[in-house]
Amino acid sequence: MTVTDDKTAEMVRADNVHKSFGSLEVLKGIDLVVKPGEVCCVLGPSGSGKSTFLRCINHLEKINAGRIFVDGELIGYRERGGKLHELRDREVAEQRRAIGMVFQRFNLFPHMTVMQNVMEAPLRVKRENRGEVRERAAALLERVGLSAKKDNYPGQLSGGQQQRVAIARALAMRPKLMLFDEPTSALDPELVGEVLDVMKDLARDGMTMIVVTHEIGFAREVGDSLIFMDGGVVVEQGPPREVIGNPQQERTKAFLSKVL
Ligand code: ADP
Ligand code: MG
């Protein structure tokens, strides 16, 4: 791992990240720094590149230019003699394990119980001790308020409950960074709060988080920083209260006037 002095206080660093799909340039030079323990909220209209950017952070998408570091480690590549060499699949998989991701759709394994869903990755991917994993999974389910559902199947749970299981499942790998991509967008309005509460609890506990969300209240209350993306660039960033309360850019103003 290459840790240099200027990166030690940064959990995530994106330098001039570019990403294209064919001739469509989706990310046009994204810069971002997220410090350990910070919650960074990402706002922006549909199609602005938010999901693509999150996917680049754990190398689900390969970037075309720039650099992404997580905890000082260059993601997806090794730099040698000024050149980038892509990491082997196994090395990429190892980097990904440290990064939890929660999507809009919960993607739980339908044929496994809640408990089995949470235990699956530590058992199969990390080959950890079953007893320890079971204990940790039970504690995580307690934490997201779902101990009573541990033997149920995902299909027997509400959307909000499923999303809380998805969060517990990601946490079971003990990630140092959590990425959330519109985690409440697919939920009925009355179920949004219970998922945001779990995320708030996680933030209070010191987890570093990047959260793509349209929940302005959450961004204002829980976010340490906010970036507004449009057309593949960061249009504006700063403390959430300032950006939301007093946006400087026309595009930010136009977007906020629609969602507030
Ligand atoms: P957001 O999450 O902000 O709504 P996305 O990152 O999903 O935006 O998408 C940004 C743009 O990239 C969109 O125009 C989308 O159609 C395009 N895009 C995303 N993924 C792919 C892909 N795998 N292939 C081609 N185009 C894609
Ligand atoms: Mg998206």
Side-chain angles (χ1 to χ4, degrees):
M1 192 161 101
T2 46
V3 180
T4 58
D5 286 343
D6 59 337
K7 294 196 189 92
T8 48
E10 298 174 351
M11 183 57 82
V12 180
R13 178 182 192 90
D15 287 332
N16 197 23
V17 169
H18 288 257
K19 172 67 186 173
S20 299
F21 294 107
S23 61
L24 179 69
E25 195 179 23
V26 173
L27 301 178
K28 302 173 182 169
I30 302 286
D31 295 315
L32 176 73
V33 170
V34 184
K35 302 214 162 96
E38 268 188 5
V39 176
C40 171
C41 291
V42 182
L43 293 186
S46 178
S48 56
K50 306 180 299 295
S51 295
T52 301
F53 179 55
L54 280 196
R55 291 167 58 78
C56 288
I57 294 176
N58 60 9
H59 205 56
L60 287 172
E61 300 290 355
K62 293 176 193 176
I63 63 180
N64 300 106
R67 303 269 192 285
I68 296 175
F69 299 88
V70 173
D71 202 16
E73 195 171 340
L74 182 60
I75 292 295
Y77 300 90
R78 178 178 291 112
E79 198 158 15
R80 210 187 283 128
K83 275 195 175 167
L84 293 184
H85 304 269
E86 201 172 359
L87 295 180
R88 295 165 202 278
D89 288 351
R90 202 169 49 78
E91 295 168 305
V92 171
E94 205 153 297
Q95 289 187 330
R96 257 183 218 144
R97 277 181 221 166
I99 306 171
M101 190 150 182
V102 175
F103 305 88
Q104 187 171 342
R105 296 256 155 228
F106 334 115
N107 302 320
L108 296 175
F109 306 116
H111 58 290
M112 290 184 191
T113 66
V114 163
M115 188 70 169
Q116 287 167 339
N117 264 279
V118 178
M119 291 177 64
E120 177 66 10
L123 286 182
R124 299 239 184 263
V125 181
K126 282 196 180 168
R127 307 202 173 280
E128 290 186 67
N129 174 279
R130 183 173 286 274
E132 283 169 26
V133 171
R134 186 182 299 282
E135 252 176 59
R136 195 190 318 149
L140 285 168
L141 287 173
E142 172 86 45
R143 186 167 175 191
V144 301
L146 288 172
S147 298
K149 300 287 183 191
K150 68 180 172 52
D151 297 321
N152 286 92
Y153 287 86
Q156 301 170 315
L157 270 54
S158 72
Q161 290 171 333
Q162 290 185 53
Q163 194 60 305
R164 283 146 63 199
V165 175
I167 294 172
R169 186 177 60 169
L171 293 174
M173 291 292 275
R174 297 200 239 247
K176 46 189 169 192
L177 168 69
M178 285 285 285
L179 307 176
F180 291 88
D181 194 356
E182 300 197 30
T184 60
S185 294
L187 299 176
D188 291 334
E190 74 272 22
L191 304 178
V192 168
E194 65 191 57
V195 173
L196 294 180
D197 283 344
V198 166
M199 292 167 64
K200 270 180 218 171
D201 175 62
L202 201 53
R204 257 195 305 266
D205 207 43
M207 177 62 77
T208 312
M209 298 162 54
I210 301 180
V211 184
V212 175
T213 185
H214 296 303
E215 295 292 332
I216 302 292
F218 177 87
R220 192 165 27 205
E221 194 187 324
V222 184
D224 297 295
S225 61
L226 185 151
I227 67 174
F228 173 71
M229 280 177 69
D230 193 11
V233 298
V234 175
V235 172
E236 187 160 353
Q237 61 182 307
R241 277 166 207 280
E242 284 177 26
V243 178
I244 294 164
N246 188 20
Q248 299 299 305
Q249 303 295 324
E250 285 309 319
R251 282 194 276 179
T252 320
K253 287 180 197 172
F255 177 79
L256 287 171
S257 71
K258 278 183 220 149
V259 295
L260 278 175

